[in-house]
């Protein structure tokens, strides 16, 4: 990219303008990062991960959980000026380059004298990069289930590399992880991906499983790939972390960047996963249809099953957004059918009061009630997820049986399952913008020499997060939290929890004025609604 020097836009606040090597760039950070033993087996399932976090401590209880960098294992690696400093599109931006000391706090609500807690490295472009534009050979792979926004992320990685950094060698790996060694690749250019954001699914195809670390890294090495962008959920990010470990063991200059994807919004640390806004918006169509069907007949019941294997965020937010839902059932909040305060009693009361009722149930809800009949209880899919029984069909049948038994009340029940309609649609405007920021954050990080990281907004600011932080736990709805209380108030449904259960849950939580380390604000409900994003990268 040969632009006039008049467009240079150095960050005057950055004191590292004259850095020539990465040693000085990282001299202030801990070097105890990530020493793992070489591995003989090629199966991800059997690989031990002895992760040692890269920690830098500061005053007032501050600590930075940093991400790996090439300089951790490749000595005397050269750096280059960032091509963005000569790009006329960015000439008007003041302080475009992120200061090397910028970090993002995970816990935003603190007491006056409480520790500042865990921070992550802020995402964004750096003045020095570790790749020359013509040496970059990048690849992109999508794994796991479909999610709105996958094509947008692919598009913006390709266009970001091309337009911001002058990279013109980008491969798409077809068919998920096994595509590295068993499928063809496709050349990706801005022209090829120009309008893919208007389509659902992924143009690269996807699959579950198929992870063979040795074969994948062999393929990366044989093809001369030096930047790997991996888009997928927690299982996919686990695979990405193992790939990074093998690349590091071999001493390769290959950046591994993850973009977390889950329609269920169950990725921890980050404010929200892409595709979630679209899923909640599309779920409104199904809920509205169920409401129309239910109110059009006497004693009509509409049941809508939404995605949410272990986390009920889609069901909760779709219920709050709809205002037409009378009962929301999620995995985090156990419920029971028979007896006082049970679901049957609530349905009878609501039908007598309103003449109709709408129930939203997340796919992972009520699984303990199906336990006796679950033959697939110990079975897993190719990604390692437990196979669940269809709670929607089951609860529909149980409700029919209850009201048929003894001819208590004649009901008309309609069951709607929009699962694949929701996840197969293109992303909405909000998610399109969000996907762009995620893609650009990943590109900036890889070009700056960071590796073994995933990207996402933390309290509205995009950050680079070590893989281990997003694969250790799952983000879940906290039923002793204000957001769940808002839902109970909106639907007027019982909590289905006895006082003893609530007190036990509260004892496991911190006081409402503080957040737990490792959990984001949106899951704790200290923010009103979903976290507000800032166009940070």
């Amino acid at each position: 990219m040969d632009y006039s020097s008049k467009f240079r836009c150095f960050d005057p606040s950055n004191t590292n303008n004259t850095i020539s090597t990465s040693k000085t760039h990282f001299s202030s950070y801990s070097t105890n990062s990530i020493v793992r033993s070489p591995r003989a087996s090629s199966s991800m399932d059997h690989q031990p991960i002895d992760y040692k976090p890269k920690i830098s401590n500061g005053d007032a209880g501050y600590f930075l959980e940093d991400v790996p960098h090439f300089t951790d294992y490749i000595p005397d690696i050269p750096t280059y000026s960032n091509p963005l400093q000569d790009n006329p599109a960015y000439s008007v931006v003041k302080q475009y380059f992120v200061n090397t000391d910028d970090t993002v706090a995970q816990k935003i609500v603190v007491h006056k004298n409480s520790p500042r807690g865990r921070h992550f490295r802020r995402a964004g472009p750096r003045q020095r990069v570790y790749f020359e534009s013509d040496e970059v050979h990048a690849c992109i792979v999508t794994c796991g289930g479909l999610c709105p926004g996958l094509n947008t992320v692919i598009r913006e990685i390709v266009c970001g590399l091309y337009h911001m950094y002058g990279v013109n060698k980008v491969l798409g790996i077809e068919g998920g992880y096994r595509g590295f060694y068993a499928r063809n690749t496709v050349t990706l250019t801005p022209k090829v991906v120009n309008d893919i954001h208007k389509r659902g699914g992924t143009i690269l195809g996807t699959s579950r499983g198929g992870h063979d670390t040795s074969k994948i890294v062999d393929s990366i090495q044989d093809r001369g790939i030096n930047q790997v962008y991996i888009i997928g959920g927690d299982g996919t990010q686990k695979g990405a972390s193992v790939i990074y470990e093998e690349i590091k063991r071999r001493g390769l200059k290959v950046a591994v960047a993850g973009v977390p994807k889950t329609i269920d919004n169950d990725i921890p640390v980050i404010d929200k996963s892409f595709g979630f806004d679209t899923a909640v918006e599309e779920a409104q169509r199904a809920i509205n249809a169920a409401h129309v069907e239910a109110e059009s007949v006497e004693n009509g019941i509409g049941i809508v099953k939404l995605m949410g294997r272990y986390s009920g965020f889609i069901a909760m937010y779709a219920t709050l957004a709809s205002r037409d839902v009378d009962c929301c059932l999620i995995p985090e909040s156990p419920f029971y059918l028979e007896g006082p305060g049970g679901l049957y009693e609530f349905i009878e009361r609501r039908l007598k009061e309103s003449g109709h009722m709408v129930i939203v149930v997340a796919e992972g809800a009520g699984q303990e009630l199906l336990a006796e009949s679950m033959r697939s209880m110990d079975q897993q899919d190719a990604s390692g997820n437990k196979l669940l029984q269809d709670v929607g069909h089951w609860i529909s049948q149980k409700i029919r049986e209850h009201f048929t038994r003894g001819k208590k009340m004649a009901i008309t029940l309609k069951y709607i399952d929009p699962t694949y309609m929701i996840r197969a649609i293109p992303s909405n405007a909000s998610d399109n913008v969000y996907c762009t920021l995620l893609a650009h954050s990943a590109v900036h990080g890889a070009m700056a020499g960071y590796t073994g990281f995933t990207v996402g907004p933390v309290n509205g600011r995009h950050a680079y997060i070590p893989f281990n932080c997003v694969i250790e736990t799952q983000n879940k709805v906290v039923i002793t939290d204000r957001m769940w209380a808002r839902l109970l108030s909106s639907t007027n449904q019982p909590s289905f929890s006895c006082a003893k259960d609530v007190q036990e849950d509260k004892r496991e939580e911190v006081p409402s004025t503080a957040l737990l380390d490792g959990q984001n604000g949106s899951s704790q409900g200290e923010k009103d609604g979903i976290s507000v994003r800032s166009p940070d990268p």
Side-chain angles (χ1 to χ4, degrees):
M1 302 178 72
D2 186 17
Y3 298 113
S4 170
S5 61
K6 70 178 181 178
F7 293 116
R8 293 184 179 273
C9 52
F10 285 108
D11 181 353
S13 68
N14 193 331
T15 58
N16 270 351
N17 288 347
T18 58
I19 294 175
S20 59
T21 69
S22 58
K23 286 186 175 180
T24 55
H25 183 77
F26 274 78
S27 61
S28 62
Y29 298 106
S30 168
T31 58
N32 66 341
S33 61
I34 312 153
V35 178
R36 298 180 187 141
S37 58
R39 142 181 210 283
S41 171
S42 63
S43 170
M44 181 181 71
D45 295 336
H46 301 296
Q47 178 173 2
I49 300 180
D50 182 22
Y51 182 83
K52 296 181 180 179
K54 185 177 179 181
I55 301 295
S56 176
N57 294 305
D59 296 333
Y62 166 98
F63 69 97
L64 167 67
E65 186 153 358
D66 209 350
V67 294
H69 193 271
F70 286 153
T71 53
D72 295 336
Y73 64 94
I74 303 178
D76 302 319
I77 185 172
T79 65
Y80 311 95
S81 296
N82 193 323
L84 282 174
Q85 69 187 17
D86 298 321
N87 191 321
Y90 298 93
S91 62
V92 298
V93 181
K94 294 182 179 179
Q95 300 184 3
Y96 183 75
F97 294 111
V98 172
N99 191 291
T100 57
D101 293 328
D102 282 357
T103 60
V104 179
Q106 180 180 15
K107 188 166 67 173
I108 195 171
V109 179
V110 296
H111 297 295
K112 181 172 65 174
N113 298 320
S114 62
R116 293 174 60 194
R118 180 158 67 168
H119 287 61
F120 300 103
R121 185 166 293 280
R122 184 184 176 189
R126 269 61 178 174
Q127 283 193 335
R128 308 296 297 183
V129 295
Y130 288 76
F131 292 96
E132 290 187 290
S133 298
D134 57 1
E135 76 167 300
V136 175
H137 190 190
C139 74
I140 306 170
V141 63
T142 55
C143 305
L146 296 182
C147 178
L150 282 169
N151 280 333
T152 305
V153 175
I154 295 169
R155 181 190 190 278
E156 296 309 320
I157 290 175
V158 174
C159 292
L161 284 167
Y162 185 89
H163 294 303
M164 293 191 294
Y165 290 99
V167 173
N168 54 24
K169 290 188 292 184
V170 184
L171 282 179
I173 306 298
E174 295 185 327
Y177 274 135
R178 61 171 52 90
F180 277 101
Y181 54 86
R183 296 288 296 274
N184 294 328
T185 61
V186 56
T187 300
L188 300 176
T189 65
K191 184 177 181 179
V192 170
V193 301
N194 181 54
D195 62 351
I196 64 172
H197 61 291
K198 300 175 184 178
R199 312 180 212 166
T202 164
I203 63 165
L204 299 179
T206 184
S207 66
R208 298 187 184 276
H211 190 288
D212 188 313
T213 307
S214 181
K215 288 183 178 180
I216 290 172
V217 178
D218 286 346
S219 175
I220 290 171
Q221 196 168 0
D222 292 344
R223 296 176 188 271
I225 293 170
N226 50 24
Q227 289 186 9
V228 182
Y229 297 93
I230 300 175
I231 310 167
D234 54 352
T236 300
Q237 301 304 309
K238 288 178 185 177
S241 70
V242 175
I243 291 171
Y244 156 71
E245 289 303 320
E246 178 62 15
I247 286 172
K248 176 175 178 275
R249 188 187 69 81
R250 299 187 190 188
L252 304 178
K253 183 187 174 183
V254 178
V256 180
V259 179
K261 174 232 59 163
T262 166
I263 201 171
D264 293 343
N265 194 41
D266 60 1
I267 296 289
V269 179
I270 65 174
D271 296 341
K272 178 171 55 175
S273 52
F274 75 84
F276 178 72
D277 271 357
T278 306
V280 171
E281 183 178 300
E282 187 66 15
Q284 302 302 296
R285 300 176 186 273
I287 293 173
N288 183 61
H291 182 252
V292 170
E293 289 284 349
E295 71 172 356
S296 297
V297 296
E298 184 179 1
N299 294 330
I301 300 176
I303 297 179
V304 179
K305 188 186 79 171
L306 299 176
M307 297 187 73
R309 182 180 294 273
Y310 303 112
S311 303
F313 286 104
I314 293 179
M316 181 173 72
Y317 279 97
T319 295
L320 284 167
S322 170
R323 309 293 199 280
D324 288 330
V325 178
D326 298 283
C327 184
C328 177
L329 305 174
I330 61 173
E332 296 89 338
S333 180
F335 64 94
Y336 55 97
L337 301 176
E338 306 277 359
L343 181 61
Y344 292 155
E345 181 184 82
F346 176 64
I347 294 173
E348 290 180 23
R349 185 171 72 249
R350 185 53 57 91
L351 290 178
K352 290 177 181 178
E353 294 171 351
S354 304
H356 65 277
M357 182 176 187
V358 175
I359 301 172
V360 167
V361 55
E363 62 178 320
Q367 291 298 312
E368 68 281 355
L369 299 178
L370 287 80
E372 295 181 1
S373 59
M374 283 181 63
R375 297 179 180 178
S376 60
M377 192 170 182
D378 297 324
Q379 296 179 9
Q380 297 179 336
D381 63 18
S383 294
N385 299 312
K386 183 183 292 186
L387 292 175
L388 302 180
Q389 290 287 341
D390 190 333
V391 68
H393 280 299
W394 175 82
I395 202 168
S396 298
Q397 185 61 33
K398 296 296 287 185
I399 291 172
R400 285 193 181 99
E401 290 176 357
H402 173 77
F403 285 97
T404 301
R405 190 169 54 241
K407 298 182 180 180
K408 290 184 177 181
M409 186 183 297
I411 65 168
T412 301
L413 188 147
K414 303 294 185 183
Y415 172 58
I416 299 174
D417 181 357
T419 296
Y420 298 106
M421 294 176 64
I422 288 176
R423 74 179 201 171
I425 65 172
S427 55
N428 64 11
S430 173
D431 272 322
N432 268 334
V433 173
Y434 181 29
C435 289
T436 299
L437 303 186
L438 288 172
H440 287 186
S441 291
V443 168
H444 292 317
M447 291 297 297
Y450 296 109
T451 182
F453 70 90
T454 192
V455 297
V458 179
N459 293 317
R461 294 289 178 178
H462 284 243
Y464 297 136
I465 305 165
F467 280 131
N468 72 294
C469 294
V470 298
I471 62 179
E472 290 174 342
T473 60
Q474 288 180 314
N475 190 28
K476 294 186 177 183
V477 174
V478 179
I479 62 171
T480 55
D481 182 40
R482 294 181 192 138
M483 190 58 71
W484 184 244
R486 292 185 183 106
L487 181 140
L488 296 179
S489 177
S490 173
T491 61
N492 289 316
Q493 71 184 67
S495 67
F496 300 113
S497 298
C498 64
K500 180 181 177 181
D501 294 335
V502 173
Q503 290 302 318
E504 289 178 353
D505 287 336
K506 285 185 175 180
R507 280 197 293 270
E508 296 175 0
E509 301 295 328
V510 294
S512 60
T513 54
L515 299 183
L516 288 174
D517 286 333
Q519 292 182 311
N520 60 22
S522 61
S523 67
Q524 289 295 312
E526 291 299 321
K527 301 175 184 178
D528 289 329
I530 305 176
S531 143
V532 177
R533 304 189 199 99
S534 170
D536 184 46

